[in-house]
Amino acid sequence: MTEKHECKIIADASKQNWVDAYAPEMVQPYLKLSRVDRPIGTWLLLFPCWWAVALASGHGQLPDAFLLVCFAIGAFVMRGAGCTLNDIADRNFDGMVERTRKRPIPSGQVSVRQAVFWLAVQCLVGLLVLLQFNLPAIIVGAASLVLVAIYPFAKRFTYWPQFFLGLAFNYGALLGWVSQTGSLSWTAVILYVGGISWTLGYDTIYAHQDKEDDILIGVKSTALKFGNKTTDWLFGFYLVTLLSLTLCGWLSDLSVLFYIGIAGAGAHLLWQIRYLDIDNSDRCLMLFKSNKIFGAIVLFAIVAGNFQILD
């Protein structure tokens, strides 16, 4: 086994994750199906929800704590459900990729039937969370299941599976807004577009870890499509993200504190682009994970922007 492949196996989950360290052995495969050992995906799913709730809160208001908690629980279980569905769909592919061949289904720790049952349990919890919202939000949230179902199969027919991931992962921008206001607005739609562009950036970075294996097994990604021009595409994606967020702040009449925060978020994205090495799997993973910092900066910028420095 090459040194590069050794790094890729390690990159699938930290050996110091709490699931391996503390969870009972019998439940470890199910927690790994849900990627509980890798929480970054939950953060990336959660932040667009929190951004929207904070944006819709209004001047002088902190985000609704109940909604923030509901979205945190919902993001946790629905990200787990999405990963479980993805592993069911990719069970044959995962067995051929060094980084994923030890996942619960291809390694035989969990059967497909058991994985389907676990998927149903997570979806049920997600439904219970969704029912805590207002009726418009319930309707909007239910519609997202179409996007969740499409994504696992996108890499079979398009070089843009990251776009479909963006559609699903940033849907919380719409749901968060509706849960707070009871209706959609252009601000929510623009926030959604910015989130999709953000996902296209960070998941392209992530996809560079698997590009050699993807070629061998015949699946597609933006990493393969962009190749050595990845940094140019990232600049474009992240520029759209920052412009969208800035426009949302302007439409919401946020204070100068918001723009200061967005400048810091932009500096972080620029650092990602400058530091990227598409042939270094460890660096790609590190930069991908760093997007939770970007998400947190944007959240704080929105919350701060709802308050004026001087009354």
Side-chain angles (χ1 to χ4, degrees), residues 299-310:
L299 177 63
F300 288 131
I302 294 171
V303 173
N306 278 324
F307 295 87
Q308 299 293 331
I309 299 177
L310 297 174

Side-chain angles (χ1 to χ4, degrees), residues 79-278:
R79 186 262 181 150
C83 289
T84 303
L85 175 61
N86 190 73
D87 278 12
I88 293 171
D90 285 354
R91 60 189 183 276
N92 295 324
F93 290 137
D94 284 347
M96 296 186 286
V97 176
E98 290 291 343
R99 187 177 63 83
T100 59
R101 63 183 176 86
K102 293 185 178 180
R103 287 181 177 174
I105 297 178
S107 65
Q109 299 173 64
V110 173
S111 69
V112 174
R113 178 175 295 183
Q114 289 171 323
V116 170
F117 174 77
W118 180 235
L119 172 62
V121 170
Q122 294 172 95
C123 288
L124 178 59
V125 176
L127 175 61
L128 293 175
V129 172
L130 184 61
L131 292 176
Q132 306 308 306
F133 299 145
N134 55 46
L135 181 58
I138 293 173
I139 295 172
V140 170
S144 69
L145 294 177
V146 176
L147 300 174
V148 174
I150 291 174
Y151 166 67
F153 304 98
K155 60 189 173 186
R156 291 161 169 78
F157 61 83
T158 178
Y159 278 100
W160 293 85
Q162 282 68 29
F163 173 71
F164 289 92
L165 179 66
L167 290 174
F169 249 56
N170 294 279
Y171 199 83
L174 304 179
L175 183 57
W177 187 276
V178 176
S179 69
Q180 178 73 41
T181 67
S183 62
L184 280 173
S185 75
W186 280 111
T187 302
V189 174
I190 293 168
L191 184 64
Y192 185 41
V193 170
I196 293 169
S197 192
W198 177 44
T199 301
L200 278 164
Y202 68 63
D203 206 59
T204 295
I205 293 174
Y206 185 83
H208 272 286
Q209 296 178 95
D210 294 333
K211 56 191 176 186
E212 294 178 2
D213 289 316
D214 287 347
I215 292 172
L216 290 174
I217 62 180
V219 297
K220 303 174 175 66
S221 73
T222 49
L224 293 178
K225 183 173 182 62
F226 302 154
N228 291 329
K229 294 184 178 180
T230 291
T231 54
D232 296 334
W233 282 91
L234 288 183
F235 185 85
F237 291 142
Y238 285 162
L239 180 61
V240 171
T241 299
L242 292 172
L243 290 176
S244 298
L245 290 168
T246 301
L247 182 55
C248 287
W250 180 77
L251 290 172
S252 301
D253 195 27
L254 299 185
S255 74
V256 68
L257 295 174
F258 168 77
Y259 299 100
I260 294 173
I262 290 300
H268 177 81
L269 293 181
L270 182 60
W271 167 77
Q272 287 187 35
I273 295 171
R274 291 179 61 86
Y275 197 59
L276 178 64
D277 179 352
I278 60 174

Side-chain angles (χ1 to χ4, degrees), residues 12-13 17-39 42 76-77 79-84 87 102-105 109-110 114-115 118-119 121-122:
D12 196 50
N17 72 84
W18 75 269
V19 173
D20 284 325
Y22 302 111
E25 187 173 349
M26 66 179 296
V27 302
Q28 285 184 13
Y30 296 97
L31 295 179
K32 289 181 179 180
L33 269 178
S34 301
R35 309 289 196 274
V36 176
D37 53 337
R38 284 177 287 157
T42 299
F76 178 79
V77 297
R79 186 262 181 150
C83 289
T84 303
D87 278 12
K102 293 185 178 180
R103 287 181 177 174
I105 297 178
Q109 299 173 64
V110 173
Q114 289 171 323
W118 180 235
L119 172 62
V121 170
Q122 294 172 95

